Amino acid sequence: MTSRHLLIVFVVLLGLGPLVLPEFYITLLNYIGLYALVALGLVLLTGVGGLTSFGQAAFVGLGAYATAALTTATDLPAWLLPLANPWGGLLAGLLVTAAVALLLGVLTLRLSGHYLPLGTIAWGISLYFLFGNLQFLGGHTGISGIPTLSIAGIELRDGRHYYYLIWAVLLAAVWLTHNLLDSRAGRAIRALKGGVVMAEAMGVDTARTKTIIFLIAALFACLSGWLYAHLQRFVNPTPFGLHIGIEYLFMAVIGGAAYVWGALVGAALITVLKQWLQDLLPQLFGATGNFEVIAFGLLMIVVLHRARDGLWPWLVRWLPEKSALAERHRDAPPLPRRPVPAVGSPLLEVKDAIKQFGGLVANDHMSLHVNAGEILALIGPNGAGKSTFFNLVTGVNPPTAGEVRFMGERVDGHTSRMIARMGMSRTFQHVRLLAGMTVLENVALGAHMRGKHGVPAAMLHLEREEEHCLLAEAARHCQRVGLGEHLQDAAGSLPLGKQRIVEIARALAADPCLLLLDEPAAGLRFMEKQALAELLKQLRAEGMGILLVEHDMEFVMDLADRVVVMEFGKKIAEGLPHAVQSDPAVIEAYLGGVE
Amino acid sequence: MDLQIALLLAQDGIVNGAIYALLALALVLVFAVTRVIFIPQGEFVAYGALTLASFQIGQTPGTLWLLMVLGVAVAALDAPALWRQGCRAGPKIYGLIGRQIAYPLVIAALVLGAQPKEWPMLLQVLLALAVVVPLGPQLYRVAYQPIAEAPVLILLIVSVALHLALVGLGLLFFGAEGSRTPAFSDASLEVGGLTISGQSLWVVGASLVLIVALYVFFERSLYGKALRATAINRAGARLMGISTTLAGKLSFLLAAAIGALSGILIAPLTTIYYDTGFLVGLKGFVGAIVGGLASYPVAAAGALLVGLLEAFSSFHASAFKEVIVFTLIIPVLVWRSLTTRHVEEEE
């Protein structure tokens, strides 16, 4: 029995439910479905993307109120009349939700992580009071008399009818989300957790990606609200308040925020628990009130202390093993490559670059150039400013003054994503891989810029051809750097030296013409170092330019065509490896002067 | 709207703004030192006010039981580590038991045996603070300290969970009815035809005194400097022998004290319900966000602005005053997102 069989059994059981279950359980399952749809959006946003929102209930409210207002209004202006039905209500709700989500996203997503949740708290409260105080939305009493839905001529009259619609929508949403995560766009979303600098260096537009997942989460919530309004046929502000928004987040986190099925588990658990506690606690305490929040709050704290990944990974242990990923991509055709610059032509030219942090001059009038088909080593004692120089060249921290040219074009002031697109790839001194993703997926992230298909195609898996090409390309680079046997291993499970090699494969997958390597040989054993040196020599022979920061002198001196030595942010020597080695200034920098 | 009304509204706004400013300062302090966005700050406002109100009507506040339960919990969490240290930890164990077991028992004996209903108001206030303020460091120990190094997002979700639990407990302890306490003084001041109530002066005066006291604490005292050092660089502070755990507890102690005192100050001006604190705290938050969760003076100024905006919008569009106040953060966020160049923090 495989996971697929289990899924079929689950769907069949769901389908049989209304035929055997009493009304009470149908209602409960309907609510679980509606809540799980919202929680699913939060899985994408919080568990996968590392952002969060406490305002999802307000988006549910937008969906519910949009259709409620349009289908019950009696004196609509003529231009709105075509929308005065449930489908028009759905469209209007989705549009309004998209507009609000985009606005909130643009406002908060460029700021550090906690501004989005804080913004959504404020937004959740505002919308709640707005619903309660706008007379045309019925104020605190709400809107009643919302019509039922009719689909293909069949009127959905009671909970049993809605049951099928709700669960079909939910399963479709699960399918779409699942597809999305298993794609180029999905890798970009998962890269958000690896930090903005890494994701941007791979060519991922992080601001746009964050906005997109926030938008998807909001639209799922809106859809849930639309279903809710037609199921209940009545709306008032209560279910759209901030506390319900918080409950949605709890569902996602307790179920397992990083897993699509976690949303379902969490929604089911919280809904059933709430039902039970709402009966039990008031009796226990001898007073009426929403005492279940005490239990939810405490449960949540315990889960975050003890099992931050939620219940799903714990449940999965009882499920059959996933069958190994089929290598569908093996025969995919290679991706087109960018034209290779002629050997000897200038790739990178830096002139008098200065980088200041306040009063500290980290790079002082640095100049160097790298040509196609050569290896330039940048060496110097710790703290000499080599990593600052890397950041300055790659656009992470633009220079305070001076000029950086890449492929003949001025790039100082360009973002790191633009520079990466022009064909400059890098590795990081402190390895920045996505530890939970496989080696193959990590390397495929490097090929991000070589694909085109976006989120809609990914959700429907219409981009499989391109995806296979990307994975095939990634697999080829893994083979080339000697990671062939680790394709399906989690990147975090490899030893540090191998993780550095994964970074090199990832950089190569972008098809660069200039490669920037930050201490690639650190942590490698002798044989591995030799293999790495061979690889770099091969790449040089193919016409690639390589800028190398490294402390291992033997490695550098055997490999580099030229060497630049830095100390205290300045270039103190430049030349052929052996000339530099006997330079008195360099010897003084490394070994200290003769007193 | 004539000048008279404008002045009245301004007075209202300044009084509320002073409270929001205090809360904003506490929020900035807690965030800077521990990276916790302290959503439950508002619950301390409600707990402070309602605990005082309970004393005044001769009831035993539920916060007392919370103090005892959390004391036992903290003792149970801390004892094993001390136990393993063996005899060297002797004085520490006595300190732990003294703070977490004996102290709550003494307070309970006072509340249950000494009829605080008959006490003068000042003593009632002190007793209410004695019950509520220790909850701050206790909650830090139980809810935050085990995951002190977690990402900001996780800490924020814990804050929200704690807020929810504390609101539920507030309902359990104090019921759904609100309370209002008598004013600290019945005196009022006549300035140019405008009556200023004694309580307003109390609120503004106490806020100013607290702000000055905080300033002195941070600039002049060793503990204050330790907190500032922790806020600037946790690892560096630890290398200098500053315990980040102690810094966390201390900042929560200050935040709880500020919250409870704010609640006690505004309880005579407005009816406090078990869930009032949340909105009050959030308005302090809007002020803190104006200050970018980093700058104390800007946060205080932002909070004052929130108070004034609230007062004037309650006159013009009272149904929408919350909407207007919380929408204030939008232009602030626009401005911040246009002026901040995102630099990644290495977590």
Side-chain angles (χ1 to χ4, degrees):
Chain A
M1 192 142 119
T2 66
S3 312
R4 186 173 285 267
H5 291 132
L6 267 183
L7 182 62
I8 292 169
V9 170
F10 175 66
V11 172
V12 168
L13 284 180
L14 268 182
L16 293 176
L19 305 179
V20 291
L21 291 174
E23 194 67 36
F24 172 78
Y25 289 99
I26 296 298
T27 310
L28 201 61
L29 279 168
N30 277 344
Y31 280 106
I32 291 174
L34 289 175
Y35 296 154
L37 187 55
V38 185
L40 183 63
L42 282 172
V43 163
L44 191 61
L45 189 67
T46 304
V48 180
L51 304 167
T52 205
S53 158
F54 295 104
Q56 293 310 97
F59 289 120
V60 179
L62 275 185
Y65 266 95
T67 195
L70 281 169
T71 51
T72 57
T74 45
D75 49 352
L76 280 179
W79 60 274
L80 270 177
L81 277 180
L83 289 178
N85 59 64
W87 303 105
L90 176 61
L91 183 69
L94 291 175
L95 287 177
V96 174
T97 301
V100 173
L102 278 179
L103 179 71
L104 275 177
V106 167
L107 288 181
T108 57
L109 288 173
R110 281 181 36 135
L111 299 169
S112 47
H114 47 271
Y115 279 97
L116 179 69
L118 293 180
T120 56
I121 288 181
W123 136 255
I125 292 179
S126 302
L127 199 80
Y128 174 77
F129 282 105
L130 208 59
F131 282 151
N133 286 303
L134 287 177
Q135 283 320 305
F136 77 96
L137 292 180
H140 282 287
T141 13
I143 303 176
S144 54
I146 302 168
T148 55
L149 285 176
S150 289
I151 293 175
I154 306 166
E155 193 192 353
L156 305 180
R157 281 187 313 276
D158 63 12
R160 277 171 211 274
H161 296 156
Y162 277 98
Y163 175 92
Y164 286 108
L165 177 63
I166 289 171
W167 281 88
V169 169
L170 175 64
L171 290 178
V174 167
W175 182 70
L176 291 174
T177 311
H178 199 275
N179 282 352
L180 173 61
L181 290 178
D182 172 27
S183 74
R184 167 182 178 267
R187 279 190 297 276
I189 295 170
R190 289 150 83 186
L192 292 176
K193 272 199 167 172
V196 175
V197 170
M198 186 276 281
E200 290 274 331
M202 298 304 132
V204 176
D205 186 340
T206 50
R208 184 157 174 270
T209 307
K210 287 176 181 174
T211 313
I212 286 175
I213 54 175
F214 185 52
L215 191 65
I216 295 174
L219 292 178
F220 280 174
C222 168
L223 191 58
S224 167
W226 176 75
L227 288 166
Y228 171 87
H230 290 288
L231 170 71
Q232 283 278 312
R233 307 187 59 191
F234 164 74
V235 292
N236 72 350
T238 317
F240 312 126
L242 184 65
H243 280 175
I244 310 295
I246 294 171
E247 245 164 53
Y248 284 126
L249 185 67
F250 284 8
M251 289 177 191
V253 172
I254 287 179
Y259 311 90
V260 283
W261 294 105
L264 236 154
V265 173
L269 186 76
I270 294 277
T271 312
V272 172
L273 206 58
K274 189 172 180 175
Q275 191 75 34
W276 180 62
L277 290 173
Q278 273 179 345
D279 288 339
L280 178 77
L281 293 183
Q283 283 177 23
L284 200 66
F285 296 142
T288 52
N290 297 331
F291 295 119
E292 74 277 2
V293 292
I294 305 174
F296 286 172
L298 296 180
L299 175 67
M300 192 67 187
I301 292 173
V302 171
V303 165
L304 287 170
H305 281 192
R306 301 284 158 142
R308 217 177 278 170
D309 294 332
L311 289 175
W312 182 251
W314 181 80
L315 284 175
V316 167
R317 283 192 306 192
W318 308 100
L319 291 182
E321 287 265 332
K322 220 181 192 175
S323 54
L325 217 67
E327 297 213 3
R328 293 158 300 181
H329 51 79
R330 203 179 301 152
D331 308 319
L335 291 168
R337 298 198 52 187
R338 75 176 82 237
V340 182
V343 169
S345 64
L347 293 176
L348 177 71
E349 296 155 281
V350 183
K351 271 193 204 124
D352 291 327
I354 301 173
K355 181 69 199 178
Q356 278 181 304
F357 296 103
L360 176 81
V361 186
N363 277 185
D364 192 3
H365 291 282
M366 272 298 293
S367 301
L368 58 73
H369 66 276
V370 185
N371 295 334
E374 77 165 343
I375 298 178
L376 177 72
L378 180 62
I379 64 171
N382 282 325
K386 304 183 298 285
S387 290
T388 306
F389 184 73
F390 254 50
N391 286 340
L392 176 154
V393 170
T394 50
V396 175
N397 271 322
T400 318
E403 192 178 307
V404 182
R405 282 179 184 278
F406 181 53
M407 313 279 286
E409 203 179 309
R410 277 286 289 263
V411 295
D412 43 285
H414 280 28
T415 63
S416 58
R417 177 159 35 93
M418 288 155 79
I419 296 175
R421 280 197 174 277
M422 294 170 67
M424 191 192 294
S425 274
R426 70 174 295 186
T427 65
F428 293 92
Q429 187 188 357
H430 303 286
V431 172
R432 293 190 182 185
L433 293 173
L434 295 155
M437 267 162 65
T438 64
V439 168
L440 183 68
E441 286 174 302
N442 268 290
V443 175
L445 182 61
H448 181 82
M449 289 176 285
R450 301 171 75 182
K452 293 191 287 293
H453 288 292
V455 170
M459 286 185 125
L460 296 167
H461 265 189
L462 296 176
E463 36 56 282
R464 289 293 93 181
E465 213 169 304
E466 178 189 280
E467 174 72 4
H468 291 162
C469 292
L470 290 174
L471 288 177
E473 179 77 8
R476 265 195 295 279
H477 287 289
C478 289
Q479 301 284 1
R480 181 167 196 188
V481 300
L483 291 168
E485 64 206 78
H486 295 297
L487 287 186
Q488 299 300 339
D489 293 345
S493 71
L494 298 184
L496 194 60
K498 286 229 161 102
Q499 294 193 19
R500 290 186 178 282
I501 302 296
V502 177
E503 285 223 330
I504 295 176
R506 184 176 68 185
L508 288 176
D511 185 27
C513 43
L514 177 66
L515 192 60
L516 275 66
L517 303 177
D518 206 341
E519 299 191 22
L524 291 190
R525 284 173 297 188
F526 179 68
M527 299 297 281
E528 291 169 334
K529 271 184 199 171
Q530 280 192 320
L532 176 62
E534 269 323 299
L535 173 71
L536 297 185
K537 281 176 190 164
Q538 259 181 41
L539 291 171
R540 169 172 64 188
E542 289 167 20
M544 193 175 293
I546 298 172
L547 177 60
L548 180 73
V549 165
E550 186 50 69
H551 281 299
D552 185 329
M553 281 309 139
E554 204 183 325
F555 183 79
V556 168
M557 293 305 166
D558 285 349
L559 196 61
D561 298 302
R562 288 184 298 124
V563 177
V564 168
V565 189
M566 278 183 88
E567 195 195 13
F568 299 124
K570 287 190 181 129
K571 180 163 80 176
I572 56 170
E574 177 172 13
L576 298 173
H578 293 285
V580 163
Q581 260 178 317
S582 48
D583 188 311
V586 176
I587 294 171
E588 186 175 323
Y590 270 89
L591 300 175
V594 182
E595 294 286 317
Chain B
M1 180 166 71
D2 57 20
L3 186 66
Q4 190 74 24
I5 296 176
L7 284 174
L8 208 66
L9 292 175
Q11 183 197 338
D12 232 29
I14 290 172
V15 170
N16 284 336
I19 294 294
Y20 299 152
L22 279 180
L23 296 176
L25 293 183
L27 288 165
V28 173
L29 166 69
V30 169
F31 182 73
V33 174
T34 63
R35 301 175 305 126
V36 168
I37 295 180
F38 194 40
I39 308 272
Q41 172 83 66
E43 272 59 69
F44 282 94
V45 175
Y47 279 15
L50 293 173
T51 301
L52 177 64
S54 296
F55 289 148
Q56 290 175 346
I57 54 172
Q59 283 180 353
T60 309
T63 36
L64 184 65
W65 313 126
L66 186 61
L67 178 72
M68 297 169 86
V69 169
L70 282 175
V72 172
V74 172
L77 284 171
D78 277 343
L82 289 178
W83 195 259
R84 257 173 296 178
Q85 287 181 12
C87 51
R88 284 178 299 128
K92 284 189 189 164
I93 289 198
Y94 293 131
L96 181 70
I97 292 173
R99 277 193 311 274
Q100 303 299 345
I101 308 285
Y103 172 81
L105 286 176
V106 170
I107 298 289
L110 272 179
V111 172
L112 297 173
Q115 302 263 325
K117 190 180 180 207
E118 314 300 332
W119 293 8
M121 184 143 180
L122 182 65
L123 287 181
Q124 287 175 337
V125 168
L126 289 178
L127 187 62
L129 290 175
V131 171
V132 176
V133 174
L135 297 177
Q138 285 178 332
L139 288 174
Y140 178 79
R141 174 64 190 91
V142 173
Y144 296 99
Q145 191 182 316
I147 52 163
E149 303 303 322
V152 175
L153 189 66
I154 299 287
L155 294 172
L156 173 61
I157 299 177
V158 168
S159 281
V160 169
L162 188 60
H163 150 71
L164 217 54
L166 290 178
V167 170
L169 287 173
L171 176 63
L172 184 62
F173 294 159
F174 303 110
E177 296 89 46
S179 301
R180 203 166 185 155
T181 56
F184 291 9
S185 84
D186 296 323
S188 63
L189 205 64
E190 198 85 19
V191 180
L194 183 73
T195 316
I196 300 174
S197 74
Q199 190 63 30
S200 301
L201 291 177
W202 261 102
V203 171
V204 175
S207 302
L208 286 177
V209 168
L210 264 178
I211 288 172
V212 171
L214 281 175
Y215 177 80
V216 173
F217 173 73
F218 282 117
E219 290 296 320
R220 299 268 180 264
S221 80
L222 191 61
Y223 280 109
K225 286 178 182 170
L227 281 189
R228 276 169 58 205
T230 315
I232 292 165
N233 188 331
R234 289 174 69 80
R238 207 176 295 146
L239 288 174
M240 292 296 110
I242 297 169
S243 155
T244 44
T245 302
L246 178 69
K249 283 183 185 162
L250 194 54
S251 63
F252 270 66
L253 183 84
L254 285 173
I258 291 173
L261 203 59
S262 305
I264 287 168
L265 284 172
I266 54 166
L269 293 172
T270 173
T271 310
I272 304 278
Y273 299 87
Y274 72 98
D275 60 353
T276 305
F278 182 53
L279 277 186
V280 177
L282 274 187
K283 284 170 193 160
F285 234 116
V286 175
I289 290 179
V290 173
L293 287 174
S295 159
Y296 291 93
V298 183
L304 209 57
L305 178 68
V306 171
L308 287 170
L309 189 72
E310 187 191 11
F312 282 92
S313 57
S314 67
F315 179 75
H316 285 290
S318 84
F320 297 103
K321 91 177 180 196
E322 315 291 357
V323 181
I324 293 172
V325 167
F326 288 113
T327 326
L328 173 69
I329 70 166
I330 290 186
V332 173
L333 290 176
V334 173
W335 173 69
R336 292 209 80 83
S337 94
L338 288 178
T339 52
T340 316
R341 186 187 153 85
H342 187 92
V343 181
E344 189 168 6
E345 69 265 45
E346 298 243 0
E347 294 237 11

